[in-house]
PDB file of all heavy atoms in Angstrom:
ATOM      1  N   GLY J 100     213.038 102.767 290.377  1.00 91.00           N
ATOM      2  CA  GLY J 100     211.921 102.546 289.466  1.00 91.00           C
ATOM      3  C   GLY J 100     211.474 101.111 289.376  1.00 91.00           C
ATOM      4  O   GLY J 100     210.382 100.815 288.871  1.00 91.00           O
ATOM      5  N   HIS J 101     212.326 100.194 289.860  1.00 89.00           N
ATOM      6  CA  HIS J 101     212.003  98.779 289.686  1.00 89.00           C
ATOM      7  C   HIS J 101     212.405  98.031 290.950  1.00 89.00           C
ATOM      8  O   HIS J 101     213.566  98.067 291.363  1.00 89.00           O
ATOM      9  CB  HIS J 101     212.758  98.229 288.465  1.00 89.00           C
ATOM     10  CG  HIS J 101     212.361  96.842 288.092  1.00 89.00           C
ATOM     11  ND1 HIS J 101     213.203  95.770 288.244  1.00 89.00           N
ATOM     12  CD2 HIS J 101     211.211  96.348 287.600  1.00 89.00           C
ATOM     13  CE1 HIS J 101     212.588  94.665 287.841  1.00 89.00           C
ATOM     14  NE2 HIS J 101     211.371  94.999 287.448  1.00 89.00           N
ATOM     15  N   THR J 102     211.438  97.375 291.562  1.00 82.00           N
ATOM     16  CA  THR J 102     211.651  96.837 292.897  1.00 82.00           C
ATOM     17  C   THR J 102     212.706  95.729 292.927  1.00 82.00           C
ATOM     18  O   THR J 102     213.496  95.643 293.848  1.00 82.00           O
ATOM     19  CB  THR J 102     210.328  96.273 293.449  1.00 82.00           C
ATOM     20  OG1 THR J 102     209.304  97.202 293.146  1.00 82.00           O
ATOM     21  CG2 THR J 102     210.391  96.086 294.939  1.00 82.00           C
ATOM     22  N   ASP J 103     212.717  94.878 291.931  1.00 81.00           N
ATOM     23  CA  ASP J 103     213.627  93.737 291.962  1.00 81.00           C
ATOM     24  C   ASP J 103     215.065  94.121 291.636  1.00 81.00           C
ATOM     25  O   ASP J 103     215.995  93.673 292.291  1.00 81.00           O
ATOM     26  CB  ASP J 103     213.157  92.668 290.975  1.00 81.00           C
ATOM     27  CG  ASP J 103     212.339  91.611 291.677  1.00 81.00           C
ATOM     28  OD1 ASP J 103     211.999  91.837 292.865  1.00 81.00           O
ATOM     29  OD2 ASP J 103     212.062  90.561 291.069  1.00 81.00           O
ATOM     30  N   SER J 104     215.240  94.939 290.604  1.00 84.00           N
ATOM     31  CA  SER J 104     216.601  95.279 290.187  1.00 84.00           C
ATOM     32  C   SER J 104     217.078  96.584 290.827  1.00 84.00           C
ATOM     33  O   SER J 104     218.237  96.941 290.693  1.00 84.00           O
ATOM     34  CB  SER J 104     216.653  95.425 288.669  1.00 84.00           C
ATOM     35  OG  SER J 104     215.874  96.541 288.278  1.00 84.00           O
ATOM     36  N   LEU J 105     216.185  97.274 291.524  1.00 88.00           N
ATOM     37  CA  LEU J 105     216.481  98.596 292.082  1.00 88.00           C
ATOM     38  C   LEU J 105     217.034  99.549 291.015  1.00 88.00           C
ATOM     39  O   LEU J 105     217.834 100.428 291.279  1.00 88.00           O
ATOM     40  CB  LEU J 105     217.446  98.493 293.270  1.00 88.00           C
ATOM     41  CG  LEU J 105     216.948  97.657 294.449  1.00 88.00           C
ATOM     42  CD1 LEU J 105     217.993  97.636 295.567  1.00 88.00           C
ATOM     43  CD2 LEU J 105     215.630  98.196 295.003  1.00 88.00           C
ATOM     44  N   GLN J 106     216.602  99.325 289.794  1.00 92.00           N
ATOM     45  CA  GLN J 106     217.018 100.191 288.685  1.00 92.00           C
ATOM     46  C   GLN J 106     216.444 101.588 288.888  1.00 92.00           C
ATOM     47  O   GLN J 106     215.286 101.735 289.276  1.00 92.00           O
ATOM     48  CB  GLN J 106     216.507  99.597 287.381  1.00 92.00           C
ATOM     49  CG  GLN J 106     216.891 100.396 286.163  1.00 92.00           C
ATOM     50  CD  GLN J 106     216.750  99.582 284.888  1.00 92.00           C
ATOM     51  OE1 GLN J 106     216.652  98.364 284.932  1.00 92.00           O
ATOM     52  NE2 GLN J 106     216.736 100.255 283.773  1.00 92.00           N
ATOM     53  N   PRO J 107     217.249 102.628 288.623  1.00 94.00           N
ATOM     54  CA  PRO J 107     216.713 103.979 288.812  1.00 94.00           C
ATOM     55  C   PRO J 107     215.613 104.304 287.797  1.00 94.00           C
ATOM     56  O   PRO J 107     215.663 103.853 286.654  1.00 94.00           O
ATOM     57  CB  PRO J 107     217.938 104.882 288.599  1.00 94.00           C
ATOM     58  CG  PRO J 107     218.949 104.051 287.904  1.00 94.00           C
ATOM     59  CD  PRO J 107     218.671 102.626 288.258  1.00 94.00           C
ATOM     60  N   ASP J 108     214.662 105.086 288.243  1.00 95.00           N
ATOM     61  CA  ASP J 108     213.645 105.625 287.337  1.00 95.00           C
ATOM     62  C   ASP J 108     214.205 106.942 286.812  1.00 95.00           C
ATOM     63  O   ASP J 108     214.137 107.984 287.478  1.00 95.00           O
ATOM     64  CB  ASP J 108     212.344 105.856 288.122  1.00 95.00           C
ATOM     65  CG  ASP J 108     211.244 106.443 287.246  1.00 95.00           C
ATOM     66  OD1 ASP J 108     211.573 107.163 286.278  1.00 95.00           O
ATOM     67  OD2 ASP J 108     210.071 106.196 287.548  1.00 95.00           O
ATOM     68  N   VAL J 109     214.792 106.883 285.627  1.00 95.00           N
ATOM     69  CA  VAL J 109     215.547 108.047 285.155  1.00 95.00           C
ATOM     70  C   VAL J 109     214.654 109.241 284.836  1.00 95.00           C
ATOM     71  O   VAL J 109     215.099 110.385 284.881  1.00 95.00           O
ATOM     72  CB  VAL J 109     216.428 107.679 283.945  1.00 95.00           C
ATOM     73  CG1 VAL J 109     217.503 106.682 284.365  1.00 95.00           C
ATOM     74  CG2 VAL J 109     215.594 107.115 282.809  1.00 95.00           C
ATOM     75  N   PHE J 110     213.413 108.999 284.529  1.00 96.00           N
ATOM     76  CA  PHE J 110     212.505 110.108 284.218  1.00 96.00           C
ATOM     77  C   PHE J 110     212.254 110.938 285.472  1.00 96.00           C
ATOM     78  O   PHE J 110     212.388 112.160 285.480  1.00 96.00           O
ATOM     79  CB  PHE J 110     211.194 109.569 283.633  1.00 96.00           C
ATOM     80  CG  PHE J 110     211.424 108.726 282.410  1.00 96.00           C
ATOM     81  CD1 PHE J 110     211.528 107.339 282.510  1.00 96.00           C
ATOM     82  CD2 PHE J 110     211.582 109.313 281.166  1.00 96.00           C
ATOM     83  CE1 PHE J 110     211.759 106.569 281.392  1.00 96.00           C
ATOM     84  CE2 PHE J 110     211.824 108.541 280.048  1.00 96.00           C
ATOM     85  CZ  PHE J 110     211.913 107.157 280.154  1.00 96.00           C
ATOM     86  N   GLN J 111     211.918 110.226 286.545  1.00 95.00           N
ATOM     87  CA  GLN J 111     211.694 110.946 287.803  1.00 95.00           C
ATOM     88  C   GLN J 111     212.999 111.508 288.360  1.00 95.00           C
ATOM     89  O   GLN J 111     213.007 112.529 289.043  1.00 95.00           O
ATOM     90  CB  GLN J 111     211.053 110.011 288.829  1.00 95.00           C
ATOM     91  CG  GLN J 111     209.678 109.517 288.423  1.00 95.00           C
ATOM     92  CD  GLN J 111     208.878 109.097 289.640  1.00 95.00           C
ATOM     93  OE1 GLN J 111     208.429 109.933 290.416  1.00 95.00           O
ATOM     94  NE2 GLN J 111     208.714 107.805 289.813  1.00 95.00           N
ATOM     95  N   LEU J 112     214.087 110.816 288.059  1.00 96.00           N
ATOM     96  CA  LEU J 112     215.397 111.265 288.535  1.00 96.00           C
ATOM     97  C   LEU J 112     215.717 112.661 287.993  1.00 96.00           C
ATOM     98  O   LEU J 112     216.123 113.561 288.733  1.00 96.00           O
ATOM     99  CB  LEU J 112     216.465 110.264 288.078  1.00 96.00           C
ATOM    100  CG  LEU J 112     217.902 110.547 288.493  1.00 96.00           C
ATOM    101  CD1 LEU J 112     218.069 110.374 290.000  1.00 96.00           C
ATOM    102  CD2 LEU J 112     218.874 109.622 287.756  1.00 96.00           C
ATOM    103  N   VAL J 113     215.512 112.837 286.675  1.00 96.00           N
ATOM    104  CA  VAL J 113     215.798 114.130 286.049  1.00 96.00           C
ATOM    105  C   VAL J 113     214.903 115.210 286.646  1.00 96.00           C
ATOM    106  O   VAL J 113     215.347 116.312 286.972  1.00 96.00           O
ATOM    107  CB  VAL J 113     215.610 114.040 284.516  1.00 96.00           C
ATOM    108  CG1 VAL J 113     215.721 115.414 283.875  1.00 96.00           C
ATOM    109  CG2 VAL J 113     216.644 113.086 283.913  1.00 96.00           C
ATOM    110  N   GLU J 114     213.657 114.865 286.825  1.00 95.00           N
ATOM    111  CA  GLU J 114     212.699 115.822 287.394  1.00 95.00           C
ATOM    112  C   GLU J 114     213.108 116.236 288.814  1.00 95.00           C
ATOM    113  O   GLU J 114     213.148 117.430 289.145  1.00 95.00           O
ATOM    114  CB  GLU J 114     211.306 115.149 287.392  1.00 95.00           C
ATOM    115  CG  GLU J 114     210.200 115.898 288.088  1.00 95.00           C
ATOM    116  CD  GLU J 114     209.839 117.188 287.364  1.00 95.00           C
ATOM    117  OE1 GLU J 114     210.218 117.309 286.186  1.00 95.00           O
ATOM    118  OE2 GLU J 114     209.216 118.063 287.998  1.00 95.00           O
ATOM    119  N   ALA J 115     213.446 115.237 289.638  1.00 96.00           N
ATOM    120  CA  ALA J 115     213.843 115.538 291.026  1.00 96.00           C
ATOM    121  C   ALA J 115     215.140 116.334 291.041  1.00 96.00           C
ATOM    122  O   ALA J 115     215.312 117.260 291.854  1.00 96.00           O
ATOM    123  CB  ALA J 115     213.999 114.245 291.821  1.00 96.00           C
ATOM    124  N   ALA J 116     216.061 116.010 290.122  1.00 97.00           N
ATOM    125  CA  ALA J 116     217.338 116.737 290.073  1.00 97.00           C
ATOM    126  C   ALA J 116     217.093 118.210 289.750  1.00 97.00           C
ATOM    127  O   ALA J 116     217.716 119.108 290.326  1.00 97.00           O
ATOM    128  CB  ALA J 116     218.252 116.107 289.023  1.00 97.00           C
ATOM    129  N   ARG J 117     216.165 118.467 288.826  1.00 96.00           N
ATOM    130  CA  ARG J 117     215.868 119.847 288.442  1.00 96.00           C
ATOM    131  C   ARG J 117     215.327 120.624 289.648  1.00 96.00           C
ATOM    132  O   ARG J 117     215.755 121.734 289.940  1.00 96.00           O
ATOM    133  CB  ARG J 117     214.852 119.857 287.296  1.00 96.00           C
ATOM    134  CG  ARG J 117     214.595 121.244 286.724  1.00 96.00           C
ATOM    135  CD  ARG J 117     213.643 121.209 285.544  1.00 96.00           C
ATOM    136  NE  ARG J 117     214.141 120.433 284.426  1.00 96.00           N
ATOM    137  CZ  ARG J 117     213.544 119.363 283.917  1.00 96.00           C
ATOM    138  NH1 ARG J 117     212.406 118.935 284.438  1.00 96.00           N
ATOM    139  NH2 ARG J 117     214.066 118.712 282.908  1.00 96.00           N
ATOM    140  N   ILE J 118     214.416 120.007 290.370  1.00 97.00           N
ATOM    141  CA  ILE J 118     213.830 120.680 291.536  1.00 97.00           C
ATOM    142  C   ILE J 118     214.906 120.959 292.584  1.00 97.00           C
ATOM    143  O   ILE J 118     215.026 122.073 293.100  1.00 97.00           O
ATOM    144  CB  ILE J 118     212.710 119.808 292.148  1.00 97.00           C
ATOM    145  CG1 ILE J 118     211.544 119.708 291.163  1.00 97.00           C
ATOM    146  CG2 ILE J 118     212.258 120.360 293.488  1.00 97.00           C
ATOM    147  CD1 ILE J 118     210.495 118.671 291.545  1.00 97.00           C
ATOM    148  N   LEU J 119     215.725 119.958 292.858  1.00 97.00           N
ATOM    149  CA  LEU J 119     216.685 120.098 293.953  1.00 97.00           C
ATOM    150  C   LEU J 119     217.813 121.075 293.607  1.00 97.00           C
ATOM    151  O   LEU J 119     218.217 121.865 294.459  1.00 97.00           O
ATOM    152  CB  LEU J 119     217.248 118.727 294.335  1.00 97.00           C
ATOM    153  CG  LEU J 119     216.228 117.811 295.044  1.00 97.00           C
ATOM    154  CD1 LEU J 119     216.787 116.400 295.219  1.00 97.00           C
ATOM    155  CD2 LEU J 119     215.820 118.374 296.402  1.00 97.00           C
ATOM    156  N   THR J 120     218.317 121.016 292.377  1.00 97.00           N
ATOM    157  CA  THR J 120     219.374 121.979 292.041  1.00 97.00           C
ATOM    158  C   THR J 120     218.801 123.398 292.084  1.00 97.00           C
ATOM    159  O   THR J 120     219.484 124.326 292.507  1.00 97.00           O
ATOM    160  CB  THR J 120     220.006 121.709 290.660  1.00 97.00           C
ATOM    161  OG1 THR J 120     218.966 121.627 289.692  1.00 97.00           O
ATOM    162  CG2 THR J 120     220.783 120.418 290.655  1.00 97.00           C
ATOM    163  N   GLY J 121     217.541 123.532 291.715  1.00 96.00           N
ATOM    164  CA  GLY J 121     216.882 124.833 291.802  1.00 96.00           C
ATOM    165  C   GLY J 121     216.807 125.344 293.228  1.00 96.00           C
ATOM    166  O   GLY J 121     216.753 126.547 293.469  1.00 96.00           O
ATOM    167  N   GLU J 122     216.805 124.430 294.160  1.00 96.00           N
ATOM    168  CA  GLU J 122     216.733 124.824 295.577  1.00 96.00           C
ATOM    169  C   GLU J 122     218.116 124.928 296.204  1.00 96.00           C
ATOM    170  O   GLU J 122     218.239 125.040 297.422  1.00 96.00           O
ATOM    171  CB  GLU J 122     215.902 123.789 296.349  1.00 96.00           C
ATOM    172  CG  GLU J 122     214.429 123.786 295.957  1.00 96.00           C
ATOM    173  CD  GLU J 122     213.627 122.736 296.711  1.00 96.00           C
ATOM    174  OE1 GLU J 122     214.219 122.000 297.527  1.00 96.00           O
ATOM    175  OE2 GLU J 122     212.410 122.669 296.486  1.00 96.00           O
ATOM    176  N   GLY J 123     219.138 124.838 295.380  1.00 95.00           N
ATOM    177  CA  GLY J 123     220.493 125.021 295.901  1.00 95.00           C
ATOM    178  C   GLY J 123     221.196 123.745 296.323  1.00 95.00           C
ATOM    179  O   GLY J 123     222.305 123.793 296.868  1.00 95.00           O
TER     180      GLY J 123
END
Side-chain angles (χ1 to χ4, degrees):
Chain J
H101 188 249
T102 316
D103 264 10
S104 66
L105 300 180
Q106 181 162 344
D108 179 331
V109 295
F110 303 95
Q111 297 203 73
L112 181 69
V113 172
E114 173 67 17
R117 186 177 299 120
I118 294 169
L119 289 172
T120 53
E122 292 179 359

